[in-house]
Amino acid sequence: MNRTKTFLGVALSVGLLTAQNVGIGTSSPHGSARLHVSDTERGVLIPNVALTAQNSATPIVGGAPAVSLLVYNTAPAGTGANAVFPGYYYWNGNRWVRLLTATNGGGEAWLTLGNAGTNPNDNFIGTTNAQPLVFRTNNSERMRIFSTGQVGINTGAAIDATDLMAVQGTVTYPWAINGYTTGNGGAVFASSEGTTSYSAVDAARSGGAPAGQGPGGGVIGYYTGSSPDGFGVSGRYEGTSNSGVRVGVRGYSTSNGGNLHVGVVGNYNTQLWGIGVIGLSFGGAYPVGNNDIAVVGWRANNANWAGYFNGNHTVVNGAKSASVPTSKGNQHLYVIESPEIWFEEIGGGQLVNGEARIELDPLFLETVFIDERHPMHIFIQLEGEANDVYVIKDKAGFTVKEKNGGRSNVPFSYRVVAKRRGYQDHRFGNDPIWGPGDTRKYAAEYVPPPPIDYHECVKFWEEQKRNWKPTPLPEGFVWAHEWEERTRPAMRAVSASPQK
């Protein structure tokens, strides 16, 4: 064979060899390429190698692989953090890095139309090490899934150690989470089950409010539908415990200072009629009509209690009364007030030959305190013709005797009053809520009596409401309408929100 012709044939088939670049299939290799392969029917075949692991150079020979060494892995898909899969890999100096492919299968790029793989151990978006998975838009972090399984939306790299999921609102997007539903279910459902002592939902409002938005609340509930039985917030206890305190709704207020901590406030649109708070027990009902009532407690059949207080019960600038049915509608009967605390017993007896013995109820005597400094007082009213009478008191009761040796046989009524046990030394007692000094300026000058007739009484209420004028309040008091004015910007912001 002519060696000269053979060499020339190879040179012509390979292309032009210069000091700068090599062309295969072309006599004019591109100036930017050291090797330029040109062909319209064939490709470049990369060596096929069966790799063992991402962090292993085996079975490459010739020393450590060169950085950027390219191979096609023919080994089947493996498992574990260092597993390799069929496909192209290059060596980055420490491990094999797989080139993303446009085919479906385990461990490959996630396609915009989804992957056809069915094994969730292979087909997933995420990391195989302890690094978090970060989602960005416009090159700004929006969501982060931490290696612990915690999820933070708009929280950055920091999240509270007790949070499984945290969402941080901003001034632009003040509603961190909103729930909506057009079906029969709830927009948001929370359940705390098992033996945990944690609440299903804890809501807290802290920090300063943006300018113009005023104070906010831990929980705000709104109902904007058309149902006459809608409600803004509903709380129910449906646990299985047969003991302990089981509460549907609980309000609690605490801080490091201040003197006005309120657990729950009930209010209504004071431009209309309404009731601030209603507490219903067995057989309770909702009062209708034009009512302006701060608190209603209702229990059917006069059994048990519509209201129960363990401690002092004070009525300020008002009267304590009972509402009693009559032929002219329910009428108020008022209690008698006293600067001291008395219990009383009322009864009757009969003079026999000018004398009668009254034994007081032992249970009544257990409720009162009687001694020389705190004697009981007895008032006798004869109900027949007789001389005047006097009484002889002792620890168990008293004896009624007719004066001047009289021997009448007439009935009588008696009224006994004695100091309440434990309160026998009480007389008046300052109410510090209203502050020091002359507090008469905080009381109404004159309270007009309501009419007896129902229709006249309704007109009277309407007139009283139209002509109401606030009286002076001690320092630190806050009128409800003033508080509403302060919080109205925040409430308007809630109502005007697109989410609402």
Side-chain angles (χ1 to χ4, degrees):
M1 180 181 294
N2 190 316
R3 294 182 178 272
T4 301
K5 292 182 179 181
T6 301
F7 172 77
L8 290 175
V10 171
L12 289 174
S13 63
V14 170
L16 182 64
L17 177 63
T18 71
Q20 297 297 322
N21 47 17
V22 175
I24 300 178
T26 177
S27 60
S28 303
H30 196 278
S32 64
R34 179 67 69 181
L35 174 63
H36 184 169
V37 180
S38 178
D39 199 297
T40 59
E41 297 178 343
R42 289 162 293 189
V44 176
L45 183 61
I46 300 298
N48 285 215
V49 178
L51 300 178
T52 58
Q54 292 182 25
N55 59 354
S56 174
T58 305
I60 300 300
V61 297
V67 173
S68 81
L69 183 68
L70 180 66
V71 299
Y72 182 86
N73 177 44
T74 59
T79 58
N82 288 305
V84 291
F85 303 88
Y88 290 98
Y89 282 83
Y90 70 91
W91 185 259
N92 70 354
N94 296 304
R95 60 191 298 113
W96 294 105
V97 179
R98 190 175 186 209
L99 298 179
L100 297 180
T101 66
T103 59
N104 295 331
E108 297 172 358
W110 192 264
L111 305 179
T112 57
L113 298 180
N115 282 17
T118 58
N119 185 353
N121 293 323
D122 296 332
N123 297 96
F124 63 89
I125 297 177
T127 64
T128 58
N129 53 23
Q131 294 301 313
L133 177 62
V134 176
F135 295 85
R136 291 183 172 224
T137 60
N138 200 24
N139 202 30
S140 295
E141 181 173 328
R142 308 302 185 190
M143 185 172 74
R144 177 180 293 241
I145 303 177
F146 295 81
S147 61
T148 57
Q150 296 172 285
V151 179
I153 299 178
N154 204 32
T155 60
I159 190 172
D160 191 275
T162 61
D163 291 345
L164 181 58
M165 182 173 184
V167 182
Q168 176 66 55
T170 65
V171 174
T172 305
Y173 306 105
W175 303 106
I177 296 178
N178 273 332
Y180 304 96
T181 180
T182 57
N184 296 324
V188 176
F189 176 79
S191 175
S192 180
E193 301 178 355
T195 59
T196 176
S197 60
Y198 286 89
S199 305
V201 174
D202 283 351
R205 196 267 183 197
S206 61
Q213 293 192 11
V219 174
I220 298 178
Y222 281 90
Y223 177 78
T224 58
S226 59
S227 171
D229 300 320
F231 43 81
V233 175
S234 174
R236 294 191 300 176
Y237 176 85
E238 294 184 349
T240 58
S241 174
N242 293 321
S243 62
V245 180
R246 286 144 286 174
V247 180
V249 174
R250 180 188 182 211
Y252 183 73
S253 176
T254 181
S255 68
N256 295 326
N259 62 353
L260 190 59
H261 296 177
V262 181
V264 175
V265 171
N267 208 335
Y268 60 96
N269 184 347
T270 53
Q271 303 302 314
L272 304 173
W273 301 91
I275 299 172
V277 175
I278 296 180
L280 302 180
S281 185
F282 173 77
Y286 292 94
V288 297
N290 293 341
N291 296 308
D292 265 322
I293 306 174
V295 178
V296 169
W298 197 305
R299 207 284 185 189
N301 304 327
N302 298 324
N304 297 111
W305 300 272
Y308 189 96
F309 303 89
N310 183 11
N312 294 333
H313 175 203
T314 301
V315 175
V316 180
N317 294 334
K320 296 186 284 292
S321 61
S323 179
V324 181
T326 73
S327 61
K328 295 184 181 298
N330 271 41
Q331 302 294 324
H332 286 116
L333 298 180
Y334 302 94
V335 302
I336 298 174
E337 309 287 355
S338 171
E340 297 175 325
I341 302 174
W342 300 94
F343 283 169
E344 68 176 359
E345 176 82 308
I346 297 176
Q350 174 78 39
L351 288 177
V352 178
N353 293 326
E355 184 173 328
R357 172 65 184 173
I358 301 296
E359 296 285 343
L360 292 174
D361 188 336
L363 200 58
F364 170 74
L365 293 174
E366 290 179 10
T367 66
V368 295
F369 185 88
I370 302 171
D371 63 7
E372 292 183 359
R373 287 186 57 241
H374 309 89
M376 65 178 168
H377 299 273
I378 303 171
F379 305 90
I380 304 294
Q381 174 64 55
L382 292 173
E383 298 174 352
E385 186 70 32
N387 295 323
D388 197 6
V389 295
Y390 63 94
V391 297
I392 303 171
K393 298 178 284 188
D394 56 52
K395 293 182 177 181
F398 57 92
T399 300
V400 181
K401 299 194 70 171
E402 189 176 2
K403 290 182 178 180
N404 302 321
R407 302 183 65 79
S408 300
N409 297 284
V410 297
F412 63 89
S413 297
Y414 66 82
R415 177 172 175 258
V416 177
V417 293
K419 293 292 186 69
R420 177 178 175 177
R421 183 177 294 277
Y423 293 81
Q424 59 268 22
D425 292 321
H426 279 229
R427 182 172 177 82
F428 290 109
N430 184 265
D431 181 356
I433 293 175
W434 292 85
D438 190 344
T439 57
R440 289 176 293 178
K441 60 185 175 182
Y442 305 135
E445 292 287 331
Y446 174 72
V447 179
I452 293 176
D453 179 76
Y454 167 79
H455 298 287
E456 292 298 323
C457 189
V458 171
K459 293 180 181 178
F460 169 79
W461 281 356
E462 292 174 345
E463 184 69 20
Q464 291 287 305
K465 189 165 186 176
R466 282 194 298 268
N467 297 325
W468 174 81
K469 294 180 179 60
T471 56
L473 286 177
E475 183 180 355
F477 276 57
V478 178
W479 286 110
H481 68 276
E482 293 179 355
W483 184 83
E484 290 172 358
E485 285 296 328
R486 296 209 306 260
T487 58
R488 188 164 286 123
M491 305 302 260
R492 280 198 295 263
V494 171
S495 301
S497 170
Q499 288 90 344
K500 300 303 176 186

